[in-house]
């Protein structure tokens, strides 16, 4: 299939581009390179440096490239920033996405794969999290993702759009050959920060809270390999053939790992201690978030290849060794 990957130069999008090629599809990348990295995409691929909300440009690309499916990864995703600057998030994550959807409908492209998030659940009432739990985001980031989920439902009903919204847990790791990986600026994610603390590239890690009601007092998260996420996005294609299909899936391994558990894994894989200290809780962090992904496993035959933290960290370590400072700017 000809697939427009919006945000294809970002962390998850760039991995999906590679997985699409591996599965025999033809990705076309659109990215404005605000957070994405040109070097994360092979130079010979079709690449458009454009804004997803530039409706006329996007419409032209959809037609010129004979796009059949659009995958949308391009979102602002810093939770704290979304609290302090909500309009930035609403303009990009909601308004620009609506222009993208309008361009698609106008061009007759009616298959859409959307990056959503477990942040749409807010502080869940029970664990593990199934798709049936109520969605009540506690920050603007989660709310913008939920707003698009709801818009998609309406478009499926009104215009026969077929879509899948994937609610990610903690995307982690890197492509297995170490050629592409995680590089955020600023970096706020646990695994790259722990690796950089171990190698001395950054200061000691601060563990945000050790007084949570969890076995070791630190937060539990569900780290899922970025290539496993990508494979689910491709596995859903055939389900989108029926007009008006509306699908929602949690994507996680179901295995909770604590912050101290991640530190232990990084120490084992790198062979270096991770200098760390305990710091106050970070605002907005729920004690535990992990997925029940039975629905994706059953309906998409999705079987995550990486089911525990150490092999995931090993891929992140391989990427780090190849490019300690990430992509050149
Ligand atoms: N975390 C931490 N120190 C850091 C960064 C993250 O203790 O410097 C913790 C954070 O509180 C959370 C977990 O690591 O419990 C995962 O955080 P991350 O930012 O990687 O992902 P999130 O769960 O926020 O999506």
């Amino acid at each position: 299939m000809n697939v427009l990957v919006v945000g294809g130069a970002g962390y998850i999008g760039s991995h999906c581009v590679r997985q699409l090629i591996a599965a025999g599809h033809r990705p076309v990348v659109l990215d404005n390179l605000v957070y994405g990295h040109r070097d994360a995409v092979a130079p010979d691929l079709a690449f458009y440096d454009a804004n997803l909300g530039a409706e006329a440009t996007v419409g032209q690309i959809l037609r010129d490239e004979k796009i059949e499916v659009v995958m949308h990864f391009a979102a602002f995703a810093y939770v704290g920033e979304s609290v302090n600057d909500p309009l930035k998030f609403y303009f990009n994550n909601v308004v620009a996405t609506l222009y993208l959807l309008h361009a698609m409908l106008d061009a007759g492209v009616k298959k859409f794969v959307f990056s959503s998030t477990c942040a749409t659940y807010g502080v869940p009432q029970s664990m593990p999290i199934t798709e049936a739990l109520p969605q009540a985001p506690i920050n603007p980031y989660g709310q913008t993702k939920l707003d698009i989920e709801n818009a998609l439902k309406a478009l499926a009903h009104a215009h026969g759009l077929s879509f899948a919204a994937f609610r990610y847990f903690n995307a982690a790791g890197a492509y297995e050959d170490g050629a592409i990986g995680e590089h955020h600026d600023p970096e706020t994610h646990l695994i790259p920060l722990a690796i950089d603390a171990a190698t001395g590239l950054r200061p000691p890690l601060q563990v945000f809270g050790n007084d949570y009601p969890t076995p070791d007092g630190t937060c539990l998260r569900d780290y899922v390999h970025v290539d496993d996420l990508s494979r689910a996005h491709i596995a859903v294609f055939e389900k989108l053939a029926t007009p008006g299909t509306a699908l929602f899936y949690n994507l996680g391994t179901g295995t909770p790992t604590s912050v101290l558990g991640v530190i232990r894994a990084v120490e084992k894989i790198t062979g270096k201690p991770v200098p760390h200290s305990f710091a106050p809780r970070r605002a907005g962090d729920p004690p535990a978030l992990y997925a029940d992904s039975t629905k994706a496993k059953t309906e998409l035959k999705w079987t995550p290849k990486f089911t525990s933290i150490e092999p995931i960290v090993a891929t992140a370590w391989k990427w780090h060794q190849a490019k300690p400072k990430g992509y050149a700017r």
Side-chain angles (χ1 to χ4, degrees):
M1 295 243 240
N2 295 333
V3 184
L4 183 67
V5 186
V6 179
Y11 173 42
I12 304 173
S14 61
H15 285 76
C16 211
V17 165
R18 281 187 149 217
Q19 293 290 339
L20 281 164
I21 295 167
H25 298 289
R26 188 178 79 88
V28 172
V29 175
L30 183 142
D31 200 300
N32 65 5
L33 298 177
V34 168
Y35 287 118
H37 305 273
R38 184 62 185 86
D39 290 348
V41 182
D44 56 334
L45 285 185
F47 186 96
Y48 294 89
D49 180 350
N51 285 320
L52 69 112
E55 200 179 337
T57 307
V58 172
Q60 194 65 48
I61 296 166
L62 293 171
R63 291 184 176 90
D64 289 352
E65 300 283 359
K66 301 190 170 37
I67 296 297
E68 298 162 273
V69 186
V70 174
M71 290 182 162
H72 178 23
F73 298 94
F76 294 141
Y78 292 113
V79 169
E81 188 187 25
S82 81
V83 175
N84 296 323
D85 192 0
L87 275 182
K88 175 175 174 180
F89 282 68
Y90 279 93
F91 276 125
N92 185 72
N93 296 6
V94 179
V95 176
T97 299
L98 295 179
Y99 281 113
L100 169 69
L101 289 163
H102 193 252
M104 284 177 58
L105 293 177
D106 199 46
V109 180
K110 293 202 172 177
K111 292 178 185 157
F112 191 64
V113 182
F114 180 57
S115 296
S116 190
T117 167
C118 62
T120 58
Y121 294 107
V123 181
Q125 294 163 349
S126 60
M127 208 64 60
I129 300 171
T130 67
E131 292 82 357
L133 284 184
Q135 289 172 288
I138 58 168
N139 52 59
Y141 166 65
Q143 185 63 51
T144 58
K145 292 289 186 175
L146 182 56
D147 290 344
I148 293 300
E149 285 197 6
N150 287 330
L152 292 173
K153 275 189 229 171
L155 295 179
H157 179 75
H159 302 297
L161 181 82
S162 289
F163 74 89
F166 288 109
R167 297 173 187 153
Y168 306 152
F169 284 66
N170 286 56
Y175 209 82
E176 281 181 79
D177 64 3
I180 58 171
E182 187 167 12
H183 177 172
H184 298 105
D185 203 4
E187 188 55 81
T188 60
H189 293 97
L190 178 60
I191 293 174
L193 290 179
I195 288 177
D196 284 355
T199 56
L201 272 178
R202 289 183 202 262
L205 183 76
Q206 291 192 306
V207 175
F208 297 139
N210 61 345
D211 57 351
Y212 283 100
T214 59
D216 67 17
T218 66
C219 285
L220 296 171
R221 293 287 180 275
D222 183 340
Y223 297 89
V224 53
H225 196 276
V226 62
D227 283 323
D228 282 325
L229 292 180
S230 303
R231 284 187 272 267
H233 289 62
I234 298 165
V236 83
F237 280 179
E238 63 189 49
K239 290 221 175 293
L240 302 181
T242 312
T245 301
L247 298 167
F248 300 91
Y249 296 104
N250 289 342
L251 292 181
T253 64
T255 307
T257 306
S258 71
V259 177
L260 290 177
V262 169
I263 290 175
R264 276 195 303 278
V266 170
E267 290 183 332
K268 186 162 172 202
I269 296 297
T270 64
K272 302 171 195 294
V274 175
H276 62 276
S277 60
F278 293 107
R281 293 181 179 194
R282 187 172 69 177
D285 270 346
L289 289 173
Y290 49 98
D292 180 334
S293 296
T294 307
K295 189 167 177 242
K297 287 175 181 161
T298 312
E299 293 186 10
L300 304 179
K301 311 276 178 283
W302 178 66
T303 314
K305 185 169 162 187
F306 295 84
T307 53
S308 62
I309 192 69
E310 282 180 17
I312 293 176
V313 168
T315 64
W317 177 231
K318 189 164 183 180
W319 152 247
H320 176 93
Q321 288 174 298
K323 289 214 171 61
K325 294 195 172 168
Y327 300 106
R329 270 292 184 189

